Amino acid sequence: SVSIDINGYIDAVNLAIKNAVAVEGLVEFGQTSTVTASMDADKPVEINTVVVATGVDKDGKVVYSHIDQMQQKATITAGKVVADANTKTKGQLGKDYGMNWDEQVAAMAKHIIGKTSSEIDKLGADVVSSVSITADEIEKTVKKVFTVLKKVA
């Protein structure tokens, strides 16, 4: 018996099971994130977390990549922080997020398949001429994931 609400953890595990995919040739896997925050006097606090999960084969070429981003906003009123109700990532929101974000990030993830870390360069400039989202933090996080790869059993 536990004294905390674990439903959120159960939901996360169920979502992971639902989204599991088979990956051929996987030798190393890593996941990492980059967090940025902004707080302007006349705007809500905004925290952006980019998450990248990547797998590589025996030659160090990417065989799997997943990119997502959580954008959490909050207001500070009378010294209290109040987060907005959104608890979904941009990937989970899909088309509801707008800006074709999901399609553009899917193109970025596809772009790195088959490449080694040294072959991956400016994602925002290389992938698709129609990419209109800012890709700096995504690019940084994709490069960072190669520093945390671990052998899989």
Side-chain angles (χ1 to χ4, degrees), residues 68-143:
D68 207 344
Q69 183 173 357
M70 178 67 184
Q71 186 175 59
Q72 183 69 50
K73 294 182 180 181
T75 55
I76 301 174
T77 307
K80 293 183 181 179
V81 178
V82 179
D84 70 4
N86 177 43
T87 58
K88 291 185 176 183
T89 67
K90 291 180 179 181
Q92 290 170 323
L93 290 169
K95 299 216 179 299
D96 289 338
Y97 179 74
M99 297 175 48
N100 294 328
W101 188 92
D102 53 331
E103 294 170 13
Q104 294 181 63
V105 168
M108 289 179 194
K110 184 178 179 183
H111 175 71
I112 69 172
I113 298 294
K115 291 184 171 57
T116 64
S117 63
S118 61
E119 294 171 321
I120 296 172
D121 51 18
K122 274 283 217 205
L123 293 175
D126 286 358
V127 183
V128 182
S129 61
S130 65
V131 171
S132 61
I133 61 173
T134 303
D136 296 346
E137 291 304 317
I138 294 171
E139 177 189 2
K140 183 190 311 182
T141 312
V142 166
K143 290 179 179 180

Side-chain angles (χ1 to χ4, degrees), residues 6-18:
I6 62 169
N7 288 323
Y9 297 105
I10 293 170
D11 291 345
V13 169
N14 286 331
L15 185 61
I17 292 168
K18 176 184 167 196

